């Protein structure tokens, strides 16, 4: 469960969880086996900082999605400022063995006229970048290597650390990251067993195109792990709780 000790307020679940970006909403979906979960969550909660947690219940698993603002640590002396940055943490808690789980984050297709999109991954980062004359948007998450590395942090099942050969020989691998038509990404996971959990990050950062071209600030902003994103949320909650009351 994401942030189990954090207080939350139940909201009406009337919309598909999404991050609003300059190129349209970044929406999320999950497929378990052959079943696609409903676009609207079964439950929706707001945390004291204003971020939300959506929850879906499936016979084989519970799925959660945290949507939150994210403030990447970019040295202002070296990086141009971002216009905005938003993050998601997806989590699945497994109740019964699952051979195939697919999680997707996608922008609308086709993209707005004048916008170009392409794969922009590297250094354990799966990413796409969308750009027009005014704005550059990068959406990033874990690539296959980063997913396996996350086993050491307990963000994915620890046995996945032994799947390293499959990262480099995709001829026999049934899991990995798919960039589709470069307007989004999908993560197909290795098989999951009862009691497993997995957390994946998705971060969207955008800035004026000219500024991003100078320093690739959007690219470096989308690299945090789920642990870093959750820690920032809990830190904000702690500061909020410790702040003196105003009258």
């Amino acid at each position: 469960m994401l942030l189990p000790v954090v207080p939350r307020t139940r909201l009406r679940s009337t919309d598909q969880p999404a991050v609003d970006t300059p190129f349209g909403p970044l929406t999320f979906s999950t497929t378990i086996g052959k079943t696609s979960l409903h676009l609207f969550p079964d439950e929706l909660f707001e945390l004291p900082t204003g971020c939300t947690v959506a929850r879906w219940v499936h016979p084989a698993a519970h799925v959660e999605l945290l949507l939150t603002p994210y403030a990447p640590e970019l040295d202002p002396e070296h990086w141009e400022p971002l216009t905005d940055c938003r993050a998601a943490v997806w989590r699945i808690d497994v109740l019964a063995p699952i051979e195939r789980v697919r999680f997707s984050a996608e922008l609308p297709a086709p993209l707005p006229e004048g916008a170009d999109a392409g794969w922009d991954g590297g250094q354990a980062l799966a990413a796409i970048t969308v750009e027009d004359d005014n704005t550059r948007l990068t959406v990033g998450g874990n690539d296959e290597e980063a997913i396996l590395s996350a086993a050491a942090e307990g963000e994915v099942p620890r046995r996945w650390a032994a799947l390293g050969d499959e990262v480099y020989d995709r001829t026999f691998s049934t899991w990995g990251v798919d960039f589709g038509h470069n307007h989004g990404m999908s993560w197909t996971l290795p098989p999951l067993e009862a009691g497993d959990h997995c957390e994946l990050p998705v971060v969207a950062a955008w800035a004026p195109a000219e500024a991003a071209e100078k320093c690739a600030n959007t690219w470096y902003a989308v690299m945090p792990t789920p642990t870093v994103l959750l820690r920032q949320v809990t830190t904000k909650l702690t500061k909020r709780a410790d702040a003196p009351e105003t009258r």
Side-chain angles (χ1 to χ4, degrees):
M1 182 177 182
L2 290 171
L3 303 169
V5 300
V6 174
R8 58 197 67 200
T9 302
R10 187 185 295 271
L11 302 175
R12 290 186 62 191
S13 177
T14 58
D15 295 309
Q16 181 182 8
V19 171
D20 291 327
T21 82
F23 298 102
L26 180 69
T27 56
F28 306 90
S29 60
T30 301
T31 300
I32 297 177
K34 296 181 179 180
T35 302
S36 295
L37 301 188
H38 199 282
L39 297 181
F40 299 162
D42 297 315
E43 298 177 292
L44 182 64
F45 302 93
E46 183 178 41
L47 305 187
T49 54
C51 55
T52 60
V53 175
R55 192 167 190 263
W56 291 261
V57 177
H58 180 276
H62 294 165
V63 173
E64 291 181 304
L65 182 71
L66 168 74
L67 297 183
T68 180
Y70 172 57
E73 295 183 359
L74 299 179
D75 186 342
E77 293 187 4
H78 297 90
W79 302 99
E80 296 288 337
L82 298 169
T83 303
D84 205 351
C85 189
R86 300 280 164 163
V89 177
W90 175 89
R91 177 177 172 119
I92 184 168
D93 287 281
V94 182
L95 307 176
I98 306 172
E99 284 297 316
R100 187 174 184 273
V101 172
R102 187 178 180 91
F103 169 59
S104 300
E106 295 182 314
L107 294 165
L111 293 168
E113 185 176 354
D116 292 321
W119 177 80
D120 200 13
Q123 299 183 26
L125 177 70
I128 61 167
T129 290
V130 184
E131 187 173 16
D132 61 15
D133 292 339
N134 301 310
T135 303
R136 172 177 286 188
L137 164 72
T138 301
V139 178
N142 285 358
D143 71 358
E144 293 88 353
E145 185 178 357
I147 289 173
L148 301 189
S149 296
E153 303 298 326
E155 296 168 347
V156 306
R158 295 190 183 277
R159 67 180 179 279
W160 288 4
L163 302 178
D165 289 344
E166 299 187 19
V167 173
Y168 305 104
D169 184 359
R170 303 301 300 279
T171 59
F172 65 89
S173 178
T174 58
W175 64 276
V177 184
D178 180 9
F179 292 90
H181 299 290
N182 291 325
H183 64 273
M185 291 176 285
S186 294
W187 291 263
T188 300
L189 302 181
L192 290 155
E193 299 177 359
D196 284 345
H197 76 269
C198 175
E199 293 174 352
L200 294 176
V202 181
V203 182
W206 57 97
E210 183 179 356
E213 186 69 32
K214 292 178 181 178
C215 65
N217 53 354
T218 62
W219 195 83
Y220 281 96
V222 300
M223 292 185 169
T225 66
T227 299
V228 169
L229 294 171
L230 294 172
R231 184 184 301 126
Q232 187 172 107
V233 172
T234 55
T235 298
K236 288 181 180 178
L237 289 167
T238 300
K239 289 181 178 179
R240 179 186 177 94
D242 292 342
E245 294 185 8
T246 58
R247 297 180 181 272

